[in-house]
Coordinates of all heavy atoms in Angstrom, one line a residue:
V373 N 72.4 33.8 137.9 CA 71.0 34.1 137.8 C 70.9 35.6 137.8 O 71.4 36.2 138.7 CB 70.2 33.4 138.9 CG1 68.7 33.9 138.8 CG2 70.3 31.9 138.8
S374 N 70.2 36.2 136.9 CA 70.1 37.7 136.9 C 68.8 38.1 136.3 O 68.1 37.4 135.5 CB 71.2 38.3 136.1 OG 71.2 37.9 134.7
V375 N 68.4 39.3 136.6 CA 67.2 40.0 136.0 C 67.6 41.4 135.7 O 68.5 42.0 136.4 CB 66.0 40.0 137.0 CG1 65.5 38.6 137.2 CG2 66.3 40.7 138.3
E376 N 67.0 42.0 134.7 CA 67.3 43.4 134.4 C 66.1 44.0 133.7 O 65.3 43.3 133.1 CB 68.5 43.6 133.5 CG 68.5 42.9 132.2 CD 69.8 43.1 131.4 OE1 70.9 43.0 132.0 OE2 69.7 43.3 130.2
D377 N 66.0 45.3 133.8 CA 64.9 46.1 133.2 C 65.5 47.3 132.4 O 66.4 47.9 132.9 CB 63.9 46.6 134.2 CG 62.8 45.5 134.6 OD1 62.7 44.6 133.8 OD2 62.2 45.7 135.6
T378 N 65.0 47.5 131.2 CA 65.3 48.7 130.5 C 64.1 49.6 130.6 O 62.9 49.2 130.4 CB 65.6 48.4 129.0 OG1 66.7 47.5 129.0 CG2 65.9 49.7 128.2
Y379 N 64.3 50.9 130.8 CA 63.2 51.9 131.0 C 63.0 52.7 129.8 O 64.0 53.2 129.2 CB 63.5 52.7 132.3 CG 63.7 51.8 133.5 CD1 65.0 51.5 133.9 CD2 62.7 51.2 134.2 CE1 65.3 50.7 135.0 CE2 62.9 50.4 135.2 CZ 64.2 50.1 135.7 OH 64.4 49.3 136.7
D380 N 61.7 52.9 129.4 CA 61.4 53.8 128.3 C 61.9 55.2 128.5 O 62.2 55.9 127.5 CB 59.9 53.7 128.0 CG 59.5 52.4 127.5 OD1 60.4 51.6 127.0 OD2 58.3 52.1 127.5
V381 N 61.9 55.7 129.7 CA 62.3 57.0 130.1 C 63.3 56.9 131.2 O 63.2 56.2 132.1 CB 61.1 57.9 130.6 CG1 61.6 59.3 131.0 CG2 60.0 57.9 129.5
D382 N 64.5 57.6 131.0 CA 65.5 57.6 132.0 C 65.0 57.9 133.3 O 64.2 58.8 133.5 CB 66.6 58.6 131.6 CG 67.4 58.2 130.4 OD1 67.3 57.0 129.9 OD2 68.2 59.0 129.8
I383 N 65.5 57.2 134.3 CA 65.2 57.4 135.7 C 66.2 58.4 136.3 O 67.4 58.1 136.3 CB 65.1 56.1 136.6 CG1 64.1 55.2 136.0 CG2 64.8 56.4 138.0 CD1 64.1 53.8 136.7
H384 N 65.7 59.6 136.8 CA 66.6 60.5 137.4 C 66.6 60.6 138.9 O 67.6 60.9 139.6 CB 66.3 61.9 136.8 CG 66.6 62.1 135.4 ND1 65.7 61.7 134.4 CD2 67.7 62.6 134.7 CE1 66.3 61.9 133.2 NE2 67.5 62.5 133.4
D385 N 65.4 60.2 139.4 CA 65.3 60.3 140.9 C 66.0 59.1 141.6 O 65.8 58.0 141.3 CB 63.8 60.2 141.2 CG 63.5 60.3 142.7 OD1 63.8 61.3 143.3 OD2 63.1 59.3 143.3
R386 N 66.9 59.5 142.5 CA 67.8 58.5 143.1 C 66.9 57.6 144.0 O 67.2 56.4 144.1 CB 68.8 59.2 144.0 CG 69.8 58.3 144.7 CD 70.8 57.8 143.8 NE 71.8 57.0 144.5 CZ 72.9 56.5 144.0 NH1 73.2 56.8 142.7 NH2 73.7 55.7 144.7
T387 N 65.9 58.1 144.6 CA 65.0 57.2 145.4 C 64.3 56.1 144.6 O 64.2 55.0 144.9 CB 64.0 58.0 146.2 OG1 64.6 59.0 147.0 CG2 63.1 57.2 147.0
R388 N 63.9 56.6 143.4 CA 63.2 55.6 142.5 C 64.3 54.6 142.0 O 63.9 53.4 141.9 CB 62.7 56.4 141.3 CG 62.3 55.5 140.1 CD 60.9 54.9 140.2 NE 60.6 53.9 139.2 CZ 60.3 54.2 137.9 NH1 60.3 55.5 137.5 NH2 60.1 53.3 137.1
V389 N 65.5 55.0 141.7 CA 66.5 54.0 141.3 C 66.7 53.0 142.4 O 66.8 51.8 142.1 CB 67.8 54.7 141.0 CG1 69.0 53.7 140.8 CG2 67.7 55.7 139.8
G390 N 66.8 53.4 143.7 CA 66.9 52.5 144.8 C 65.8 51.5 144.9 O 65.9 50.3 145.2
T391 N 64.5 52.0 144.7 CA 63.4 51.2 144.7 C 63.4 50.1 143.6 O 63.1 48.9 143.9 CB 62.1 52.0 144.6 OG1 62.0 53.0 145.6 CG2 60.8 51.2 144.6
E392 N 63.8 50.5 142.4 CA 64.0 49.6 141.3 C 65.0 48.5 141.6 O 64.8 47.3 141.3 CB 64.3 50.3 140.0 CG 63.2 51.2 139.5 CD 62.0 50.4 139.1 OE1 62.2 49.3 138.4 OE2 60.9 50.7 139.4
V393 N 66.1 48.9 142.2 CA 67.2 47.9 142.5 C 66.6 46.9 143.6 O 66.9 45.7 143.4 CB 68.4 48.6 143.0 CG1 69.4 47.6 143.7 CG2 69.1 49.4 141.9
R394 N 65.9 47.4 144.6 CA 65.3 46.4 145.6 C 64.4 45.5 144.9 O 64.3 44.3 145.2 CB 64.6 47.2 146.7 CG 65.6 47.9 147.6 CD 64.9 48.4 148.9 NE 63.9 49.4 148.6 CZ 64.1 50.7 148.5 NH1 65.3 51.2 148.6 NH2 63.1 51.5 148.2
R395 N 63.5 46.0 144.0 CA 62.6 45.2 143.3 C 63.3 44.1 142.5 O 62.9 42.9 142.5 CB 61.7 46.0 142.5 CG 60.5 45.3 141.8 CD 59.7 46.2 141.0 NE 60.4 46.9 139.9 CZ 60.7 46.4 138.7 NH1 60.3 45.2 138.4 NH2 61.4 47.1 137.8
L396 N 64.3 44.5 141.8 CA 65.1 43.6 140.9 C 65.7 42.5 141.8 O 65.8 41.3 141.4 CB 66.1 44.3 140.1 CG 65.5 45.2 139.0 CD1 66.6 46.1 138.4 CD2 65.0 44.3 137.8
A397 N 66.3 42.9 142.9 CA 66.9 42.0 143.8 C 65.9 40.9 144.3 O 66.2 39.7 144.3 CB 67.5 42.7 145.0
E398 N 64.7 41.3 144.6 CA 63.7 40.3 145.0 C 63.3 39.4 143.9 O 63.1 38.2 144.1 CB 62.5 41.1 145.6 CG 62.8 41.8 146.9 CD 61.8 42.9 147.2 OE1 60.8 43.1 146.5 OE2 62.0 43.6 148.3
R399 N 63.2 39.9 142.7 CA 62.9 39.1 141.5 C 64.0 38.1 141.3 O 63.7 36.9 141.0 CB 62.7 39.9 140.3 CG 61.3 40.5 140.2 CD 61.2 41.5 139.0 NE 61.7 40.9 137.7 CZ 62.0 41.7 136.7 NH1 61.9 43.0 136.7 NH2 62.4 41.1 135.6
C400 N 65.2 38.5 141.4 CA 66.4 37.7 141.2 C 66.4 36.5 142.2 O 66.6 35.4 141.9 CB 67.7 38.5 141.4 SG 69.2 37.6 141.0
V401 N 66.1 36.8 143.5 CA 66.0 35.8 144.5 C 64.9 34.8 144.3 O 65.1 33.6 144.5 CB 65.9 36.4 145.9 CG1 65.7 35.3 147.0 CG2 67.2 37.2 146.3
R402 N 63.8 35.3 143.8 CA 62.7 34.3 143.4 C 63.2 33.3 142.4 O 62.9 32.1 142.5 CB 61.5 35.1 143.0 CG 60.6 35.5 144.1 CD 59.2 35.9 143.6 NE 59.3 37.1 142.8 CZ 59.2 38.4 143.2 NH1 59.1 38.6 144.5 NH2 59.2 39.4 142.5
R403 N 63.9 33.8 141.4 CA 64.4 32.9 140.4 C 65.5 32.0 140.9 O 65.5 30.8 140.5 CB 65.0 33.7 139.2 CG 63.9 34.4 138.4 CD 64.4 35.2 137.2 NE 63.3 35.6 136.3 CZ 62.8 34.9 135.3 NH1 63.4 33.7 135.0 NH2 61.8 35.3 134.6
L404 N 66.3 32.5 141.8 CA 67.3 31.7 142.4 C 66.7 30.6 143.2 O 67.1 29.4 143.1 CB 68.1 32.6 143.3 CG 69.5 32.2 143.8 CD1 70.5 32.1 142.6 CD2 70.0 33.1 144.9
R405 N 65.7 30.9 144.0 CA 65.0 29.8 144.8 C 64.3 28.8 143.9 O 64.2 27.6 144.2 CB 64.1 30.5 145.8 CG 64.8 31.2 146.9 CD 63.8 31.7 148.0 NE 64.5 32.2 149.2 CZ 63.9 32.6 150.2 NH1 62.6 32.7 150.2 NH2 64.6 33.0 151.3
A406 N 63.7 29.3 142.9 CA 62.9 28.4 142.0 C 63.9 27.4 141.3 O 63.4 26.3 141.1 CB 62.2 29.2 140.9
A407 N 65.1 27.8 141.1 CA 66.1 26.9 140.6 C 66.8 26.1 141.6 O 67.6 25.2 141.3 CB 67.1 27.7 139.8
G408 N 66.5 26.3 142.9 CA 67.1 25.5 144.0 C 68.6 25.9 144.2 O 69.4 25.0 144.5
L409 N 68.9 27.1 143.9 CA 70.3 27.6 144.0 C 70.5 28.7 145.0 O 69.5 29.3 145.5 CB 70.7 28.1 142.6 CG 70.7 27.0 141.5 CD1 71.0 27.7 140.1 CD2 71.8 26.0 141.7
S410 N 71.7 28.9 145.3 CA 72.2 30.1 146.1 C 73.5 30.6 145.5 O 74.1 29.9 144.6 CB 72.3 29.7 147.6 OG 73.3 28.7 147.7
G411 N 73.9 31.8 145.9 CA 75.1 32.3 145.3 C 75.9 33.2 146.2 O 75.4 33.7 147.2
R412 N 77.2 33.3 145.9 CA 78.1 34.1 146.8 C 78.3 35.5 146.4 O 78.6 36.4 147.1 CB 79.5 33.4 146.9 CG 79.5 32.1 147.5 CD 80.9 31.5 147.7 NE 81.7 32.3 148.6 CZ 82.9 32.8 148.2 NH1 83.4 32.7 147.0 NH2 83.6 33.5 149.1
T413 N 78.2 35.8 145.0 CA 78.6 37.1 144.5 C 77.3 37.8 144.0 O 76.6 37.3 143.2 CB 79.6 36.9 143.4 OG1 80.8 36.3 143.9 CG2 80.0 38.3 142.8
I414 N 77.1 39.0 144.5 CA 76.0 39.9 144.1 C 76.5 40.9 143.1 O 77.5 41.5 143.3 CB 75.3 40.6 145.3 CG1 75.1 39.6 146.5 CG2 74.0 41.3 144.9 CD1 74.3 38.4 146.2
V415 N 75.8 41.0 142.0 CA 76.3 41.9 140.9 C 75.2 42.9 140.6 O 74.0 42.6 140.5 CB 76.6 41.0 139.6 CG1 77.1 42.0 138.5 CG2 77.6 40.0 139.9
L416 N 75.6 44.1 140.5 CA 74.7 45.2 140.1 C 75.2 45.8 138.7 O 76.4 46.0 138.5 CB 74.8 46.4 141.1 CG 73.9 47.6 140.7 CD1 72.4 47.3 140.8 CD2 74.3 48.8 141.6
K417 N 74.2 45.9 137.8 CA 74.5 46.5 136.5 C 73.7 47.7 136.3 O 72.5 47.8 136.5 CB 74.1 45.4 135.4 CG 74.3 45.9 134.0 CD 73.9 44.8 133.0 CE 74.0 45.2 131.6 NZ 73.5 44.1 130.6
V418 N 74.4 48.8 135.9 CA 73.7 50.1 135.6 C 74.2 50.6 134.3 O 75.4 50.8 134.0 CB 74.1 51.1 136.7 CG1 73.5 52.5 136.5 CG2 73.8 50.6 138.1
R419 N 73.2 50.9 133.4 CA 73.5 51.5 132.1 C 73.0 52.9 132.2 O 71.8 53.2 132.4 CB 72.9 50.8 131.0 CG 73.2 51.4 129.6 CD 72.8 50.5 128.5 NE 73.6 49.3 128.5 CZ 73.2 48.1 128.1 NH1 72.0 48.0 127.7 NH2 74.0 47.1 128.2
R420 N 73.8 53.9 132.1 CA 73.5 55.3 132.3 C 72.9 56.0 131.0 O 72.9 55.3 129.9 CB 74.7 56.1 132.8 CG 75.1 55.5 134.2 CD 76.2 56.3 134.8 NE 77.4 56.3 134.1 CZ 78.6 56.8 134.7 NH1 78.6 57.3 135.9 NH2 79.7 56.7 134.0

Side-chain angles (χ1 to χ4, degrees):
V373 174
S374 63
V375 296
E376 63 182 38
D377 277 341
T378 299
Y379 305 99
D380 290 343
V381 179
D382 290 347
I383 301 175
H384 292 84
D385 181 66
R386 182 76 178 188
T387 301
R388 167 83 189 284
V389 172
T391 299
E392 290 295 314
V393 167
R394 288 193 297 275
R395 183 178 61 83
L396 289 166
E398 290 162 2
R399 280 173 50 196
C400 183
V401 172
R402 274 195 292 274
R403 288 181 170 267
L404 198 67
R405 288 184 168 182
L409 296 170
S410 59
R412 294 184 66 232
T413 302
I414 314 303
V415 181
L416 175 71
K417 178 180 177 182
V418 179
R419 181 167 297 148
R420 300 188 292 190

